[in-house]
Structures are given as structure tokens and as C-alpha cells.
Amino acid sequence: MTNKIVRIGCASGFWGDTPEGARQLIKGGQVDYLVFDYLAEITMSILARLRERDQEQGYATDFVTQVIKPYAADIAAQGLKIVVNAGGVNPLGCKAALEKEIAAQGLQLTVAAVVGDDVMTQLEALREGGVREMFNDTVLPKELISANAYLGAFPIAAALSAGADIVVTGRCVDSALVLGPLIHEFGWRPEQVDLLAAGSLAGHIIECGTQCTGGFLTDWEDMQAGWADMGFPIVECSADGSFIVTKPAGTGGGVTRQTIAEQITYETGDPRCYVLPDVICDFSAVRVEELEKDRVKVSGVCGRPPTQTYKVSATCPDGYRSMTTLLIRGMGAAPKAHALAKAIIHRTTALFERDKLGSYTETSVEVLGAEAGYGPHASAHAQASREVMLKLGVRHANPKALAVFAREIFPMSTSTVQGIAGLFSGRPKVQPVVRLFSMLMDKAAVAVTVQVGSRLIEVDDSPVPVAAKTEHGAGRPTSPPRMPATTGRTKTVPLACLAYARSGDKGDMSNIAVLARRPEFLPLLREQLTSAKVREYFAYLMSGEVERFEWPGLDGFNFLLHDALGGGGVASLRFDPQGKAHAQIMLELPVDVPLEWMRSGWVKEDDGT
């Protein structure tokens, strides 16, 4: 193995992230590669709509205007390589725009585009083959807005090997933006699945930008002093697959075992079976070690051969929606808000019936300030709040009906309860609803090419047969640690006293990871934090089942809540369509702890609360 270290920084975790990430890492990151993650399912549908109106659009123009235009000269002078999925649904268009800007500055930078993820032309073949939705087994809709396969890292590596300075992709798995450069630098081969899994984890950790450097942390008080200038993440990767996570010196936030452990769990499902195009990852025995301030080493990851299929995310039209918010003040504000919502729905439904427009397909009422997101767990104090926001969301197949809904909001707000104090967004808009449809597609049916300058390179991204492995990486012991003797007397405390947590979405599933603050807490958490108890606790939010996965390397568990997001992030009417706050709700679940733990200082009642 070579002793070479490759430094990769991530300057963007989503389309719309601050351009300060690019400035920070280009000016002071001292990195070899800089990656930018722009895409999500809803982003793809937005970009597809833009390209329908203008064939030259369909990519994240921010990357051209906020990164390449101001920093192209720095990138060229440093010999910095860039990998970005800003291509959206038009990677060749993004490539052309980049080349135009680079030429205007008189620079010599080679731009490559990875093409092939767009499978819209193959929909009929998929339909004839009987493709079904991965999670709910429904048939492929008649009309789709976009359909893109999640490509892997080897096309990116091929582009770099062909001399690209900037590699633009369309849809690929987020972690591939980091794995591709590592494959190129270290010569990792398709059959070296442990190395591919390790590189994928490095990408998974930094793909969300500052979320792994203290953003979204359960113990947020530890990081708030640095929020104004959060450090963007850097991974220092070795040829053996181990890597260190850090950030630029002098920036805010922090890199600790907790910040990295929380981010590892983000949107993973079963930690033993995290499926990517290049490898199936086993993160269950991962080791996370603090070496020194803001330097955390990650190792112990295993891989298995990849599947023969790509995951394809398609988006389809699903009617229309409209949402409004109204500020309500005064005694009984929450009951007033519920009464007003009921009246609006009743009035507009009657108007729809009179005009033969049909009924709402869905309505959603949330009273913000009265702890609507907590359902039956809301506090009595919140229910008595004198100031709330009513959020009323509705869905209908006919946009004309929602135009009626939008029209009636102002009249209803002046003819019902006293105390309606603000409609700051004006008349609500009527918007098309986009729904996600996830399916599998044979890799052999997807032709992947890389265009480097004017050269076209075909890439075989199909999996190489690899003998199945039985060994697993060495993780932390899974046997229960020694427990101090207890008298049996207990006290009920919030889960936050024993654990920290992170949540996110997978389609219509909410992923909540719970990690023990001390290994000694695991047996108690295993006993009390059952799938059934979590299902009961979140029954007001979900209609599916709850799966619990052990995570021994991180001293915790991962919970997957099915049918828990109101249809999923791109279609949900909820204020939290991606379950971002579900971990916070989970941390208030009551657990019983031995009094001895509290007397010894292991558990403090204000921990995490």
C-alpha cells in the first residue's frame, strides 16, 4: 500500500447551500479534490421542468456563477480537481456553460461530463417488463417528469484518468463524488469491495457538508459558538481505506466522535446492507476514534459485491396542492386555529360540490406553537399557547378547485374568529405536486459514457463477479458491558439523558438512529426501546411498521419507520416532510433508569434537554 494521502473537501450539501463553502475550501482548505453535492429527488423534478421550458437549462447554474466564475483562476493555479453533480438532467449543457466561462477567462481547464443516468427513453421497455415500485409495489405511472438511475463512481474515475480537471455528473449516488477520485488515485478495482465500501463511507460522511462538522448535532449547545462560520468537511484518505475527517483550522463547528457517528447513521436503514451501485456496504462494525481536536479517524468498514441493478428515481405528476399559514393570537389560540381550518375546509368543499369540481384528495392541518408535531405527546402548556400559526395544506386533482381555496382564505380570515393577526405570504399559490417513484433497472440496460473535451469514452459500469465473503470487520464488542449492581428502583427520564439521535428520510420512510451516550446504557436501551414501543410512540404520524437494526460499532440502533412522512418529501403536505425533527421527538420518549445511575452522575436529568 502507498503512503499517499488524498485530501477531499465537500463545499456543498444541497442546491442552495452557501457559496462560502467553496471560498473557504479553495482559499484555505489545502485539498486535492473539491466535491459539490447539489441533487435530491425534488431537485431533479425542478430541473426537468426548467429544461422543458428551455433545452439549454436543466442544470445547477449556481455552480457556474458562484464557483467557477469567481474561482476558476484559483482552481487552475492550485491544480485542484473538481467533482460535482451539478449536471442535473443536462450534464452536457452544464459542461458547455463551464467551458464557455473558462474560455472567457483565458484558462486551460478540461471539463468532462458523465452521461447515461437519464432513462426516460427506456420507460416503455420498463413498463412492458412489469417494473414495480420498490416500496409499495405499484405500477409505473403513465406520465413521468424525470427518471434517473443512480450511477456509481467508476465513470467519475474514468473521467479523471482521461485528464479531466472538472467532472460534471447527472444523477449519481452522493458518495460516488468522493469514491470516484479515490478509485482514480489509488487504483482500487471493482473486486476490492472493502476499499470501495470505505471510500463510500468517506463520501457519505461529508456529502451533507457542515452536518458532519457540528451542524444538526443533538448536543447543539456544544457547537453554537461557531455557527456563524461553520467549517466545511475534509477527508484525508489512505490507500488502505482508512480516513480522517477534519475541517479547516480556525473555522466554527467541530469534528468529534459524536458529530461523525451521528452523520454516519444518516438515512442508512440497515447498517449491514447499505446498497450502492459499486458495493454493498456493511457499516455495522465501523470504528470512530478521536485522535486530537477536530481530527477523527474512521475505519472497520466492510463491503460485499454490488447488485446487478441500479436504483432509478422517477418523478411523476400527482395533482395539485396549496398551502397557507395564518398567525392567530389570544386566549384559546389553538382551538381557534382548528376551528378556522375546519370552517375553511367545510366552506370550500361545499363550493366544490356546487361547481362539480370534486373533493379534496388530502388535507393537512398543523397548529404550530401548540406542538402539533408531537401529537398526543404535546404538553398542556403548549396547548394553552396564546400565539400559534395555523398551517393548512390541501391537495386536489383540479387546479381550478385550489384557485377557489386560495380565493377564500382572506374572506374566511375576516369573517370567523377574532385574533387572526397576519397573512404575510399573501394569497396562497397553487402548485403541481410531484411524487417519487423508485424502481430497479438492470445495469446492462444503461449505457454510460464520459465526454472529456470532445472525446467520448464508453464506460462499463456493470458489476464484476466477486466471490461472496463471510468475514466481517473487527468492531466493538457486542456483548453487554459490565453493569453496576442496582437496587431495582428507577426514575423515568427522557431518552435524551441516555442517547443522542439523528433522523432523515428515505422516500416515505423515516430513519431515526439512536446512539448510547455510554456503552453501559445499551442493554437498557435494547430492552426498553423496542420496535413495538417506537411504533406506539409514533402511531399518530405513521401507518406502517417499525424495523430496528443493531449498530454495535456505534453503540446504538437504527429505526426505520415505514409510511411515516405523509407520502414522502417531494409529495408530503407536512411541515416536516423529511422527518428532520423526528429524532428530537424520539429523544423525549420516556425510559426508566436505575436511581444508582443518577446518583453516580452517569445520568443527569438535563442531559440533552
Side-chain angles (χ1 to χ4, degrees):
M1 289 283 185
T2 176
N3 293 323
K4 179 169 67 172
I5 301 295
V6 177
R7 285 171 55 90
I8 304 176
C10 178
S12 174
F14 59 94
W15 188 23
D17 206 345
T18 174
E20 292 302 304
R23 180 204 58 77
Q24 184 188 101
L25 292 174
I26 291 172
K27 296 295 187 180
Q30 298 179 318
V31 294
D32 304 301
Y33 289 85
L34 194 55
V35 303
F36 298 78
D37 180 16
Y38 285 99
L39 300 183
E41 287 83 3
I42 187 63
T43 315
M44 296 298 288
S45 63
I46 293 171
L47 292 173
R49 293 288 194 193
L50 290 174
R51 191 177 186 185
E52 283 181 358
R53 295 195 289 267
D54 183 348
Q55 288 299 301
E56 293 186 359
Q57 295 300 309
Y59 60 90
T61 55
D62 297 9
F63 177 66
V64 182
T65 59
Q66 295 183 357
V67 179
I68 298 305
K69 186 173 183 177
Y71 301 119
D74 296 285
I75 291 168
Q78 294 178 29
L80 182 60
K81 303 288 187 180
I82 307 290
V83 182
V84 59
N85 58 13
V89 298
N90 188 9
L92 291 176
C94 186
K95 175 178 181 290
L98 291 169
E99 290 172 333
K100 181 178 179 181
E101 177 60 38
I102 291 166
Q105 296 190 34
L107 300 170
Q108 299 293 321
L109 292 171
T110 300
V111 183
V114 177
V115 181
D117 63 292
D118 188 340
V119 297
M120 285 289 285
T121 59
Q122 303 188 55
L123 293 181
E124 285 309 311
L126 289 169
R127 187 173 282 110
E128 291 173 4
V131 68
R132 312 286 290 194
E133 215 279 340
M134 290 174 57
F135 303 111
N136 57 33
D137 200 40
T138 55
V139 299
L140 188 64
K142 292 182 179 179
E143 181 184 356
L144 292 179
I145 300 169
S146 64
N148 297 81
Y150 284 80
L151 301 183
F154 281 93
I156 295 171
L160 293 168
S161 297
D165 299 298
I166 302 173
V167 181
V168 177
T169 77
R171 201 54 170 124
C172 66
V173 289
D174 301 340
S175 56
L177 301 174
V178 171
L179 180 58
L182 297 178
I183 291 171
H184 167 65
E185 289 285 343
F186 296 131
W188 291 348
R189 301 184 302 278
E191 65 271 17
Q192 293 179 298
V193 290
D194 285 348
L195 296 175
L196 299 181
S200 296
L201 180 56
H204 173 73
I205 289 172
I206 70 170
E207 70 188 35
C208 291
T210 56
Q211 287 186 24
C212 73
T213 58
F216 270 25
L217 194 66
T218 300
D219 299 333
W220 59 272
E221 300 94 336
D222 297 341
M223 300 293 165
Q224 64 174 321
W227 282 351
D229 184 29
M230 290 290 283
F232 277 75
I234 298 169
V235 282
E236 298 175 352
C237 303
S238 302
D240 65 359
S242 65
F243 58 90
I244 292 170
V245 188
T246 185
K247 66 182 183 68
T251 58
V255 180
T256 68
R257 185 178 188 275
Q258 183 180 348
T259 68
I260 301 306
E262 284 195 22
Q263 185 59 29
I264 287 173
T265 67
Y266 187 58
E267 298 180 346
T268 49
D270 183 351
R272 293 186 181 274
C273 190
Y274 188 64
V275 181
L276 296 171
D278 304 304
V279 63
I280 298 174
C281 304
D282 183 349
F283 297 155
S284 62
V286 64
R287 295 187 296 276
V288 182
E289 310 164 71
E290 289 189 23
L291 302 180
E292 54 187 283
K293 181 176 172 57
D294 292 330
R295 291 182 63 80
V296 171
K297 182 178 180 180
V298 181
S299 59
V301 184
C302 290
R304 299 198 303 276
T307 67
Q308 299 288 331
T309 55
Y310 286 123
K311 178 183 176 182
V312 174
S313 282
T315 55
C316 54
D318 189 26
Y320 299 84
R321 70 178 177 184
S322 186
M323 300 177 71
T324 189
T325 56
L326 299 93
L327 173 62
I328 301 171
R329 287 187 174 131
M331 294 180 290
K336 285 179 183 177
H338 283 288
L340 176 58
K342 183 178 180 180
I344 293 172
I345 293 171
H346 181 79
R347 176 180 175 85
T348 51
T349 298
L351 295 177
F352 297 165
E353 184 176 347
R354 184 196 67 190
D355 296 338
K356 297 181 173 54
L357 292 173
S359 301
Y360 289 117
T361 55
E362 184 183 357
T363 62
S364 173
V365 177
E366 293 178 272
V367 179
L368 312 177
E371 298 186 0
Y374 286 82
H377 313 301
S379 68
H381 175 75
Q383 293 296 299
S385 174
R386 294 175 298 175
E387 182 176 85
V388 300
M389 289 286 290
L390 167 64
K391 183 232 74 182
L392 176 57
V394 294
R395 194 196 311 273
H396 201 287
N398 190 336
K400 293 181 180 179
L402 294 188
V404 173
F405 166 83
R407 181 194 73 199
E408 292 297 318
I409 296 300
F410 275 102
M412 290 294 289
S413 70
T414 59
S415 61
T416 53
V417 298
Q418 189 179 132
I420 299 175
L423 283 149
F424 299 108
S425 56
R427 179 176 287 189
K429 297 178 180 179
V430 178
Q431 299 173 314
V433 175
V434 174
R435 186 171 294 277
L436 179 65
F437 185 95
S438 300
M439 55 187 164
L440 298 177
M441 183 174 181
D442 192 335
K443 288 180 177 176
V446 179
V448 182
T449 60
V450 176
Q451 186 166 322
V452 186
S454 59
R455 291 178 293 151
L456 192 64
I457 302 171
E458 293 186 4
V459 180
D460 182 6
D461 203 29
S462 58
V464 174
V466 182
K469 299 192 324 173
T470 56
E471 71 273 13
H472 293 282
R476 297 167 69 101
T478 58
S479 58
R482 289 186 61 188
M483 301 289 291
T486 61
T487 62
R489 298 177 62 194
T490 63
K491 181 177 178 62
T492 302
V493 300
L495 175 62
C497 294
L498 304 182
Y500 46 94
R502 173 69 66 85
S503 58
D505 67 314
K506 282 291 182 185
D508 198 18
M509 295 181 287
S510 179
N511 184 120
I512 308 176
V514 177
L515 306 180
R517 294 184 181 275
R518 297 178 63 111
E520 291 87 351
F521 295 161
L522 273 174
L524 183 147
L525 294 177
R526 184 178 290 110
E527 177 185 351
Q528 297 192 35
L529 215 59
T530 63
S531 296
K533 186 169 184 178
V534 173
R535 174 66 179 81
E536 179 184 7
Y537 188 72
F538 282 101
Y540 68 100
L541 279 179
M542 59 181 295
S543 58
E545 297 303 316
V546 172
E547 294 180 88
R548 184 181 81 173
F549 302 99
E550 297 264 348
W551 207 316
L554 298 181
D555 299 327
F557 309 92
N558 210 28
F559 294 88
L560 204 56
L561 284 59
H562 293 259
D563 304 320
L565 298 173
V570 297
S572 178
L573 292 178
R574 295 182 186 175
F575 241 69
D576 185 11
Q578 296 176 303
K580 299 291 189 182
H582 284 185
Q584 291 296 302
I585 299 172
M586 179 82 133
L587 286 170
E588 295 195 53
L589 189 152
V591 292
D592 298 324
V593 303
L595 283 176
E596 285 82 359
W597 289 9
M598 308 192 77
R599 292 168 181 161
S600 67
W602 276 18
V603 176
K604 297 178 183 179
E605 289 191 73
D606 61 349
D607 277 3
T609 61

